[in-house]
Every structure is written in C-alpha cells, then in structure tokens.
Amino acid sequence: MPSDPKRLADLRCELTRRGWDGFVVPRSDEHQGEYVPPRAERLAWLTGFTGSAGLAAVIGEKAAIFVDGRYTLQVRGEVDSALFVPRHLSEEPLSGWIAKELPKGAKFAYDPWLYSENQAAALKEAVVAAGGTLVAAEDNPLDAVWADQPPPPIAQVLPHALQYAGRSSQEKRADLAEGLRQRGIQAVVLSLPDSIAWLLNVRGGDVACTPLPLSFALLHDDGRVSWFVAPEKLSKGLMEHLGNGVSCQLPGDFNAVLDGLAGKRVLLDPASAPAVLFQRLTAAGAEVVKGTDPCQLPKAMKNPVELAGTRAAHRRDGAALTRFLAWLDREVSRRAEAGGLSEQEAADTLAAFRREDPLFRDFSFETIAGSGPNGAIVHYRVSPESNRNLGLGELFLCDSGGQYLDGTTDVTRTVAIGTPTAEMRRRFTLVLKGHIALARARFPEGTSGSQLDAFARHALWQEGLDYDHGTGHGVGSYLGVHEGPQRISKLPQAVALKVGMIVSNEPGYYKTGAYGIRIENLVAVTKSHRGDGEERSMLEFETLTLAPIDRRLIEKDILSGEEKAWLNAYHARVLAAHAEVVDEQTKTWLEAATAPL
Amino acid sequence: MPSDPKRLADLRCELTRRGWDGFVVPRSDEHQGEYVPPRAERLAWLTGFTGSAGLAAVIGEKAAIFVDGRYTLQVRGEVDSALFVPRHLSEEPLSGWIAKELPKGAKFAYDPWLYSENQAAALKEAVVAAGGTLVAAEDNPLDAVWADQPPPPIAQVLPHALQYAGRSSQEKRADLAEGLRQRGIQAVVLSLPDSIAWLLNVRGGDVACTPLPLSFALLHDDGRVSWFVAPEKLSKGLMEHLGNGVSCQLPGDFNAVLDGLAGKRVLLDPASAPAVLFQRLTAAGAEVVKGTDPCQLPKAMKNPVELAGTRAAHRRDGAALTRFLAWLDREVSRRAEAGGLSEQEAADTLAAFRREDPLFRDFSFETIAGSGPNGAIVHYRVSPESNRNLGLGELFLCDSGGQYLDGTTDVTRTVAIGTPTAEMRRRFTLVLKGHIALARARFPEGTSGSQLDAFARHALWQEGLDYDHGTGHGVGSYLGVHEGPQRISKLPQAVALKVGMIVSNEPGYYKTGAYGIRIENLVAVTKSHRGDGEERSMLEFETLTLAPIDRRLIEKDILSGEEKAWLNAYHARVLAAHAEVVDEQTKTWLEAATAPL
C-alpha cells in the first residue's frame, strides 16, 4: 500500500474547507492501544506507513511523517517522501516541525479522541509556542474524506470464567468503589480496554493478538458500571455473567451520560484517557480529578488463581516450544544439503505446535523469527521479501508467544545453526549473565524495575556493549502481552514491583548486519524470605517460562559458579516439566539440551 | 531555644490583622539552600526547631510542625507540642493537614520568596482542594513580628582565581549566552547562589560551610550580567576581577529591573526560583520560559583544572584523615584504662589536623562523629548532651569534609574500637562490597545515577538488609558539598552522569541503638576505554578520596578475587599518596593499615 497522493489532496481540501492550516494524524485510536482496528488505521491509509507507532502532520503544502528508530528504513520503503518528508520521532520531533512550518496566527487541528490529555497538552505547548492556535476537531476530517473507512469492529465479547480470573467482577468493583469513596470521587471514566476487560471479567476480539473488546465504561462509587458497548457484541449469556451491577448502554449514549456528571468529582487518567473527555466533563460542570486509572495496578498484581493459570500455560507453551527446538535441530541437520529451512517455515511450525493446545486462542504478537542479519532487527517480522533460509554458522532468534485462556506467554530463544563463532558464543554468554543476574535478583519492597535494569546490562557493559530496548515489560493474564504500570528499563520509573506482577526478563545484543541475541523468560514477583536476621521485607522473581537455553552458545568459563548453578537448576526444572509430556524424540533431545554444564 | 508561645501569639495577631486564616513557615530562604543565614531561621525562631529541613503551619488556633524521619526525635525535644503538633513531613503532609483544618473560603498565606514555583503550585493545589484561597504575602508577616531579626549577611565576596576555576567567567557567560540566543531567550534569572558563584568565579561566606554569597543575578543573551549584591560585600579588587561584563546593582533595584523585562522571553527554573519572580515577571508582561537553571549542568561537569584541584585537595585531606586515624588507634590503646576518648575530642582533633592546611577555608559540613549507637543516627551531630566515649567493642563512624580553595571533600570512615563482633564485620564487609561494586562500575554514556544505585545495595539485599539514604550526591568545586543535578539514589532520575561530575559513593548500614556503618569516597566520572571491540562510549569512576578502609572490619572470605584486588590496589594508592608526606608514626601505622588482604 504505497502513499496515495489523492488521499493527502482530499485531506488538504477538507482542512481548507474547515479553515484549518494544519492537522496531525497519529497512529493511535481512542484507547491508546498497541493494536488498533482497521477503522483506526488512519496513518496507514493516508501515508502507506504500516508500522506500529508514528504520526503524520500536514501544514499547508508541507507534510511530514514521524517515526522512531525501528522504522527509519521501513518508512522510506512504504511512504513517498515527495508527499511526506520522513523525520525521526524523538530527534526531529513534531514540535520542532511546527515551530518551523506553522505560520503565526495559524489554526492547527487535532482529533481529541486520539490524543490523551497529556499528549494534547504537549501539542498545545508546541502550537502556542509557534504563535498558532490549537483546535480540537469535533469530528475527524480524515474520516470525512475516507469513503470506505471500515466500521468499528464487533467481535463477540465472551465471559472470562472465574476459574481463570480468580476474582469476581463484583469483588473487584466493590474494592475500587471503596477507593473512590475514600477519595471523595463519584465516578471514574475507564478508557483502557484492558482495564475494562479485567474489571468485568470479559474478553473480546476487536484487535489482533489481544483478547480485548474496545469500549468505554464508567465505574460509579457504589460499584455499578455503565458500559458503553455495541449490543451486537454481547454474546449469549454475557448479561447473566455481568450481573445486575453492570448496565450496558449504547456507545452513542456515552456523551450524554458524561454531560450528566455535572457537579460530580470524576477521575480521569491524563496519561491514557482521550483529551476530549476532559474537555467534555469540564464543560459539563464536573470536577475532573486527574489520577492513574485505578484498574491498572490491581490488574498487574495477579491473584493466586491467575498465577496458577499462567504457570500452567507456561508449562504447555514451553512444551510446544521445546518440541519446536528439537524439530529445528533435526531439520537443520537433515536439510543441510537439501535446500535448507526458511524463517517462515520455522515460524509456521512453531505456530502449528502451539495451536494444538485446546486452551490456545491466538498468538500474543506476531512471531519474530530472524536468522543471521534479520536477527539484529529488533522488531523484525518475516515477509515474503525478507524470508531467508537459516544458514550454517548463523544464529536464529525466535521471539513468540501465545494467548491461552489461562495465561499469556512471551519467550525468546536464540539458537546456533551449525557452528557458532567465538564472538557469538561470548556475547551470548554475556547476555545470559545479564539474564541470570536479573532472574536471581533479590530486592526490598518498594523497588522499581528501573533500579534493577542495570543488573541485566552489567556484563555487557564490561565489554563496551549494550542493547537499545527495555529489559522487561509487564504481561497480562490472557490480556495484553505488554501492560503497565511496571517495567524494567533505563527510563526513570516510580512504580514499584509488587507481588504477583509478571514481567519479562529479556536482555539482548544486536550486531547490525550480522546477528541478534535475546534470551527472554517471563518472571513473577514473589516474596523472598531466607532467615531471621533479615530486616527488610524482600522480593524476588519466580521464572515462569520453561524452555532450554542453547548450551552450544555458552562459554562456560566466563560463568561464575552461581551462574552455572542457576542454569543447571533451571534446566532441571525444564526437563522435569516436559520429560513426561513430549514425544520420545523430543525427550531424548531435551535430556541432552538440559544436561548440566 | 525552646518554643516561645509569645512568638506564635504575635504571629497569629499579625495574621488576624491582615485578614488571613493561615500561614506557612518553611525552613528555606530565597535561595533554596541547605544552609540559611540567621535572618532566614524563621522556623527556628517561631518553633524552636533547629533541624535543617521542615516547616510549620498555622491555621486559626491550630498549629503543626512537619519534619522528616531524621528529626522525629529531635522535634519532640525542641518544640512544645502543645503549641505545634509534630507531624511527619511526607507521611502526614501539610496538604492533608490543610484539607482537615482549613475552613472553606479561608485565606491561607505564604511568602512567595521562600517557595519555588513548583512548591507554590503544590501548595496552591492543597489549599484550593480544601476550598480555600492561597494568598502570596507581599511581605512576610513573621518578619513583621520578629523585632530583633538579624540583618542579611554581608560577608566579603572574594575572587575565585582562574588557577582554581579553570575557566574565565567571560567564557562561561559567552557559552551560556549562546545557548540562550539559540532558544530565543533574552535573559535568565539566577537565584541559586552556587550558580552565581560558579558563573562569576567568586566565593563568599554568607552561610556556614559553603563559600556562597547570597544574591540574585540576571544573565542577558549578550553575556552581560546584572548582579544584585550589597555593595559593602564587594572586596577590594573584585570589580576588576568581574570586568566590564558584570554590572553590580543594589539588591533593592532587582524588582524594578524585572519590571523592565516586559516583552522579553525570560528563563526561570520552577524547581528553584522563588514563585514571586514568576508572578512579578508575568505581571510585568515578560514571557516566562520554564526551564532548568543553565548553570547547574556545566557547573557539575568539572573542567580539567578543577579536577586537578580536587585531586590535590583530596590528597592533602586524605593525609590529614590518615594522620587522625593513626592517632585514634594510638589513643584508643593508650587510654583504654584511663577514661577513654570522647566523640567531641576525636572530632576536634581531626578538625585541627585539617586546619593546618594553608588552603583550608572551612569544613564542608558539621562533622558526624558517632560512636556505638550514635553511629546509627544518620545525621548525628555531637553535642554536650550526646557526647560519649568511644567504647571497646564498638564501631566509630566519622563523616567529615573540608572546603579548600582547590576543592571540596567529604569522606566517611567506620573504625573498629577494640574487637568488633562477627556481625559487625560481616555487615561492614557487605557495605564494602557495595562500595566496591559502585567504584568499579562501568556504564555507557547516558546512564543516570539511579540506574547504578542498586549495585551498591546488592550485597546487603542478599541478606535482607538495606539503608535509608541515597548512595551518592554531587559535590562542588570549593562550593556546595551537596549539589545537583546528578545523584545516585533509588529515586527516579533522568539526568545522566557526565564526564567531570563528582559524586559520593557512600553505602551504609545502621542498626538502631547499636552501631552504624558507612564507607564514603568521592569519585569523578571519567571516560573508559578498554579495547577495539567496544561499541559504546563508556564511562567509569575515578576514586578521589585517599584514606585507608579499616581492614580489621573486613571478612575476607566473602570478598571475591576482584573485590580484594580492588581494595589492595586502592590501599596501594593510599600508601603511595601519603607515605612520604605524613610523620613516621603515621607512616608505620599506614603501612600496616594498607597491607594487602
């Protein structure tokens, strides 16, 4: 889908018709999600750019597209730079472009449904600094010229059973309502679909890879919820599952209900809720209280039932991955002289193994299966053009995960194809040292992921190496594979890691044009107590993912005794988990793959 | 100085006279400094509380004093709780007290010279949430009833010679002015005395322990400075030192000059500049640009001359401390049966040794000399009441530093008096492991201190232990012993460590009622290059402090080979630095104290 100049021309006409000098088209939808439905793919429709983040802006006869470092190559392939000048999202930001291009006194418009309050405030600052006026569009001018814009998705909403959710929606709502009452707040507007799915114990299918129904909701301080959801999405029996405390209303009624909140104190999250809601509530005479979406923290702290579910999901997912890794080794040997094995076939085979599980519902993201130089592209997705065979002497990086009814998985293994070089082995071992350091971390309550991030990088730093992505992201329970509020990264972060949170542990190393290494397990935060002399309440990680780490890539001599002990104990767990479940061929392979170092 | 009820009564009368229902008295002055002149000791005058942080508030017939965890005991000793209810600064904050006590519609006043813009915004939020109105006092009502309030200090301002400063004021001003012009800013108001001292290459003596002249200044985008400073403070020859680009004006002219900035874009730091300046400039018609004080970052990145100076200062300071440590060991043995040695005598002796240096000007803070349980009080200061003898079987913690013309020092050593227990030795060694981990840290450019903090705590965390203070603070060059913007702590921090920054490395452990341990060296950030395979630009620390670490407290078996190697190399440096400088007795002692493990 290359850039279509007519679309940009149509948008310009529409802007002129409305008397606006500029407009911005973000990639986000009303729910600020990582995946958006086809209806919200406005950036792709306008520019041709299909990446998962970015924005385009138009000012008079100028237009630009802003993407981050992951997409600087892709954007040049997909977008006609005569129409949209490509710029770097953070190094050449929109604010600078506005400062340069926006005439004084000009009107620059945006869609306040697609911008969070915080994002809108930043945009306003840029526009005002340039001497312009920021206009909140009542309806999106791009939608006005997109004749065949798809309708909103209407995937069925299904109950998420108590055997997986662990707590009833009623209990969750009662807890949150108590918190609202203590703060003198009468209602909170929920705009994040994962918050609503968690709160109501429902799952849906409106976007790819995440079982989310897209909707808005209002939680009142008596625990009742007004849920604005298209009636055709409600599956049979769902109303019973929801119970009396949840009233389903038409999405079109949302605005009117907001207007009825005059005089009430209403909580809204400026980091995620659309700016339009702040404007609407304020205009209606409600008192807007800015604060974090109150579902996010309890959702992240999984209850014992969710943790048991995720452990079970990881056992089955690990068995499928183990079967794949054994198959991969066999096929590499078998085909060495017969044309080889492609990235696509590898990804497809792993997918087929996962699909055999009766609780499997979807992949948790598009599989990354990168061999050789493709492994160094952090967000690589195999395509017919990029697909290549796994070459001897190369590394193969495979990052994948599943959505199971009882849990969400995300795992990366890096495998030697043929004989690896000494440099590959050394750097793999440095990444492994970082992975083990984080897996073994022990820390007092109150510690954030940012405080632990350097443990995962320490060994690489000793040799002047590093990786340019976070070390860990939160993971949901049959929900988003990326969720907050916790994370492990270089970025400052005030949210502490708490018991029950699931995060990834995924240090890596990437040599552009040559190979990529990443070792990723998911871990859960648990209590840690080792003796009476301890003065602080301590936490540690329980590793959830169960799949062998390639011993052929380990330079044993640079592992400490404790590191070897960790790896051997981990491999013993992996073997014990899968030995009686997998086929004989896989079992034999696994015994060798998990033999003590 | 116990609380004087008449003072509170007088203040209440004054508030009534002005029609105000409440008022807040912070400990800060106009310059947000750690040390304030006697004139600004309003909190102590009103309440009797002499701690270095806190605030009091009055609402009608109620009054409260807010202090942090360091001062919960002290406040009860100094302040009559019938007059001021003691509250915890962060756990029972002023905002909650205002919410509870302030009647709706009430007027709550504050002195906008003593509150930064950010602090004032937070105060306003609390007052408005309680249904009140925040009033910015034109003059401080407490000053109106403080009959014998001391005058502002008028210590002489002296040139800080180029041989110590390393860069001329003219160059510094030209650099900053260039930065202002690039941002389209016509002037920046400087309210931080250390920024002004650095920018003008001057030093003063208006407060204790830091060679600061208190004043305000305006840097224009052509590099000129308008400096609002009392003429009686200017030492002979200072005007020549300052040169043509600096015009000295009366402090009383400051307001009028601000009013003259109408139509200009003026930079102000909301984190440090008094709120009144924002109000005044806005009212005058200037466009206030909020941003970081542009002196802070270049000031923190010491130039090669400053680094050479600080190395020299640390050599001499380390020699004085070494002489003291040798003396201490001798005296402890000698007096074991003759009445012992007191904390005060120890502190006085160390002070006398430091004073012998011709470049010594002051102590960089009040010495902490805590033996036994006093060592566990993190901010302990010896007083006639608290003074105690160093007991056998105890630990003695001594944290001290000097202000030398060529550098500022800050060092903590913890020493065994007699035979330490196994627990003391183990925990000392855990603290030492943390100190060494940070001293050996290697990290890419762009890394903040918050990312490294956990290195210093890792060994303690393994045993369920921790310490409740930061690991490192910035240190000035013959300036503040605590300076920003960098720090090493658990708190989120976006400012990266940069070449030339000086920070402390001071992990500790405190057992309440028993003993305290802290090992503190200052370190400077330097480039680190170890070979061609390195892909990132790496940094590391150069340890500046040179004094032995007590080997009698080290449990050698739990140090790794690398840790022992670091300590032995460090001790070899200490011996080499001082062997030819100290007296024979000290040298003999030092040779034993620095013998390889």
Side-chain angles (χ1 to χ4, degrees), chain B residues 153-183:
Chain B
I154 49 159
Q156 289 290 286
V157 180
L158 299 167
H160 188 55
L162 199 59
Q163 72 181 105
Y164 303 123
R167 285 191 81 205
S168 73
S169 168
Q170 203 169 358
E171 278 181 284
K172 294 178 185 176
R173 288 183 275 116
D175 268 10
L176 293 191
E178 168 67 22
L180 294 180
R181 290 196 301 274
Q182 281 173 7
R183 297 165 68 184

Side-chain angles (χ1 to χ4, degrees), chain B residues 363-374:
Chain B
F363 303 99
S364 56
F365 56 98
E366 259 190 278
T367 295
I368 298 171
S371 71
N374 286 344

Side-chain angles (χ1 to χ4, degrees), chain B residues 324-355:
Chain B
F324 165 74
L325 292 170
W327 170 87
L328 184 71
D329 264 14
R330 287 199 307 275
E331 292 301 301
V332 166
S333 311
R334 201 170 65 78
R335 301 199 206 176
E337 292 154 32
L341 169 68
S342 76
E343 293 169 343
Q344 188 65 61
E345 189 181 350
D348 291 347
T349 303
L350 174 56
F353 290 170
R354 273 207 172 94
R355 277 201 193 91

